[in-house]
Amino acid sequence: EVQLVESGGGLVQPGGSLRLSCAASGFTFSSYDMNWVRQAPGKGLEWVSYISSSGSTIYYADSVKGRLTISRDNVKNSLYLQMNSLRDEDTAVYYCARSVSYYYGMDVWGQGTTVTVSS
Amino acid sequence: DIQMTQSPSSLSASVGDRVTITCRASQSISISLNWYQQKPGKAPKSLIYDTSSLQSGVPSRFSGSGSGTDFTLTISSLQPEDFATYYCQQSFSTPFTFGPGTKVDIK
């Protein structure tokens, strides 16, 4: 079964750090591009970051550039999001999502992990 | 950045109704338009990619059309499990942007 499972969410103070993980199974992880998408409480979906299958191409939303870092380990079949200098507005459910390629959208989503930034 | 709008923002419909949701991009995105369904407390589910290609396992009552800046998602005969929020998303260029969503609820 194709599956993405996020972990690492939690409560963190403003200015703090957190590292999210996404474990992939049931497919050849190294053949797929990956994304992080978030959803603030009661709000819509916001794309956060993209990484190509090899890790050579990375993009970020302006709202997270310089603070969040996407990476992947194709040996461990895992995607990561290092979150630094967290702000209240980063509070959201974070989803990892698979893409067949850049243009084809996100076909498989994880269940999400919740990040709460609050003092 | 490419802005995405959707209309209506919400609608009430009955089982068996034909439902159409419109999505508009602020500039041409060719056919790089995708649709997702999200139910409360759940992750989004991919329905359609590349404007009109159905994801595997998605019922044929869902269809998509359009090109350039104007796109539609149509549900030919609404079923009880279709009550949800629907989002369009462009994958033409980063930042990939989503529409604000259309909530479909029971009349």
Side-chain angles (χ1 to χ4, degrees):
Chain A
E1 178 193 4
V2 173
Q3 198 170 12
L4 297 171
V5 179
E6 301 93 337
S7 60
L11 174 63
V12 60
Q13 292 187 337
S17 298
L18 215 53
R19 189 195 196 205
L20 306 185
S21 299
C22 171
S25 60
F27 65 99
T28 304
F29 180 70
S30 59
S31 296
Y32 289 84
D33 302 344
M34 296 296 295
N35 299 267
W36 286 100
V37 176
R38 68 185 181 183
Q39 187 169 35
K43 303 297 185 183
L45 300 170
E46 178 189 17
W47 171 80
V48 171
S49 184
Y50 160 98
I51 186 167
S52 62
S53 57
S54 67
S56 61
T57 300
I58 287 174
Y59 300 110
Y60 295 101
D62 285 346
S63 59
V64 306
K65 205 172 292 183
R67 301 186 300 115
L68 275 56
T69 303
I70 192 171
S71 63
R72 66 189 296 160
D73 186 330
N74 286 345
V75 173
K76 294 183 177 179
N77 293 334
S78 292
L79 175 73
Y80 305 102
L81 186 67
Q82 178 65 43
M83 310 174 73
N84 297 332
S85 303
L86 284 164
R87 305 168 179 169
D88 291 351
E89 55 264 35
D90 295 318
T91 294
V93 176
Y94 285 75
Y95 298 100
C96 62
R98 186 183 84 168
S99 289
V100 172
S101 77
Y102 180 96
Y103 291 108
Y104 287 166
M106 295 164 243
D107 66 336
V108 176
W109 295 63
Q111 86 289 348
T113 188
T114 300
V115 173
T116 304
V117 184
S118 175
S119 54
Chain B
D1 297 0
I2 299 173
Q3 309 303 318
M4 307 299 294
T5 57
Q6 287 182 235
S7 61
S9 56
S10 65
L11 65 91
S12 295
S14 301
V15 172
D17 283 354
R18 181 181 182 88
V19 168
T20 298
I21 298 169
T22 297
C23 176
R24 177 164 289 172
S26 60
Q27 64 188 74
S28 177
I29 58 170
S30 184
I31 60 167
S32 299
L33 191 283
N34 312 294
W35 290 97
Y36 304 91
Q37 175 194 67
Q38 188 179 34
K39 298 180 180 179
K42 300 295 186 182
K45 172 187 175 183
S46 176
L47 297 176
I48 289 172
Y49 65 97
D50 242 18
T51 295
S52 59
S53 297
L54 231 57
Q55 287 288 358
S56 174
V58 173
S60 58
R61 63 179 179 273
F62 290 93
S63 64
S65 65
S67 68
T69 60
D70 295 318
F71 302 86
T72 59
L73 172 70
T74 299
I75 309 172
S76 59
S77 177
L78 199 66
Q79 298 302 299
E81 60 269 30
D82 300 337
F83 292 96
T85 299
Y86 293 85
Y87 295 93
C88 63
Q89 177 245 336
Q90 65 83 15
S91 50
F92 183 77
S93 66
T94 56
F96 298 143
T97 40
F98 289 87
T102 295
K103 185 176 181 180
V104 177
D105 62 20
I106 303 172
K107 182 184 286 185

